[in-house]
Amino acid sequence: MTGREPLSRAAILRTAVAYADEHGLTALTMRKLGQVLGVEAMSLYHHVNGREDLLEGMVAEVVANVRLPAAERLGPADGWQAFLLHVAHEVRTVATAHPNLFPLMATHPPAAPWLRPPLRSLQLVEDFLGGLVSRGLPDEAAVEVYKVFTSFLLGHLLLEVSQLGADSGPPDEPLDEGGAAVARDDVPRNDTRLDLDTTPTVLRLQGPLATHDAAAEFERSLEALLDRLDRELSQ
């Protein structure tokens, strides 16, 4: 790799995201990724542990672009509503910048079932819940907002990126190329056993976060939508 950036996990993930942005996720293979990086596909397996690890790393690379504001950055009208507006536009910016990858960001299994896409990293959920609580919402309300807000973002943004040409169906499985018969055990990978010591808000709210009643949530969201439409159409 003379004259190139040394091969590393970070370089592989950045290149994979850029390639999928340009060509689509289904065009991405380990062999093609190796060609772009100027190495044999087998070399990639020293840094990524196969297809699932590569996909999860790509998701983390995209999610890392979502920036939540600190309390002092929203000005005098710094309520939870302003916070949600900022976060919604931030996530939409990331989704429309990576339309080919947002369906993966939205549907790839997160590290824990209560890390709801697209706010799917532990630190991002911690900062989101902490941002709501610090702006006056009680714990229970913050959890409810988290669930409703993520559902809204997923529904709207999946539709928007599909209109931009993204394939919102499950990706094909072309990535495990290069002849690697056995996954390496010493390669860092996403670990589903989350350490919550550094995320005190998530730790405190772990119980209600893990409670999910899809039918009740659907009915509440539908009722809120009907109420809003009724108010608007009756004016």
Side-chain angles (χ1 to χ4, degrees):
M1 293 186 64
T2 304
R4 294 175 179 267
E5 179 183 357
L7 188 64
S8 65
R9 181 177 177 85
I12 290 170
L13 295 178
R14 286 196 302 270
T15 302
V17 168
Y19 189 90
D21 282 342
E22 183 174 357
H23 302 286
L25 188 61
T26 56
L28 179 66
T29 66
M30 287 297 212
R31 185 169 290 116
K32 177 60 69 176
L33 186 55
Q35 290 174 357
V36 174
L37 287 163
V39 300
E40 294 295 325
M42 278 293 294
S43 300
L44 303 179
Y45 290 95
H46 292 283
H47 304 278
V48 294
N49 198 46
R51 175 183 184 272
E52 287 304 312
D53 187 38
L54 178 63
L55 293 177
E56 183 60 36
M58 292 170 67
V59 169
E61 185 80 8
V62 174
V63 172
N65 293 314
V66 177
R67 309 293 185 187
L68 271 61
E72 68 274 7
R73 299 175 68 178
L74 292 178
D78 185 33
W80 61 266
Q81 299 94 332
F83 180 76
L84 289 181
L85 282 172
H86 180 99
V87 175
H89 286 288
E90 183 74 11
V91 175
R92 181 175 180 269
T93 296
V94 171
T96 55
H98 303 278
N100 291 329
L101 285 171
F102 185 77
L104 181 64
M105 178 178 167
T107 60
H108 199 63
W114 41 264
L115 290 179
R116 293 163 60 110
L119 304 179
R120 53 178 298 136
S121 81
L122 181 59
Q123 190 59 54
L124 193 57
V125 173
E126 169 69 19
D127 293 343
F128 181 79
L129 292 171
L132 292 176
V133 172
S134 69
R135 289 167 173 86
L137 285 187
D139 285 354
E140 183 178 345
V143 172
E144 178 67 15
V145 168
Y146 166 68
K147 293 178 179 180
V148 173
F149 186 66
T150 50
S151 295
F152 161 76
L153 289 177
L154 279 181
H156 182 89
L157 293 177
L158 279 174
L159 178 60
E160 184 168 1
V161 298
S162 69
Q163 292 171 339
L164 295 174
D167 183 0
S168 58
D172 295 334
E173 298 195 7
L175 293 174
D176 267 335
E177 295 184 358
V182 180
R184 289 168 53 88
D185 290 332
D186 59 339
V187 176
R189 70 192 71 180
N190 181 61
D191 191 345
T192 58
R193 295 169 299 177
L194 297 176
D195 182 1
L196 303 183
D197 290 342
T198 60
T199 53
T201 309
V202 171
L203 181 61
R204 187 177 73 251
L205 300 180
Q206 187 176 8
L209 284 172
T211 302
H212 179 56
D213 188 336
E217 183 177 325
F218 178 83
E219 292 298 332
R220 287 196 300 270
S221 297
L222 180 59
E223 183 179 352
L225 173 63
L226 293 176
D227 287 345
R228 192 195 77 186
L229 289 174
D230 185 51
R231 288 194 303 270
E232 291 178 355
L233 295 175
S234 64
Q235 290 179 356

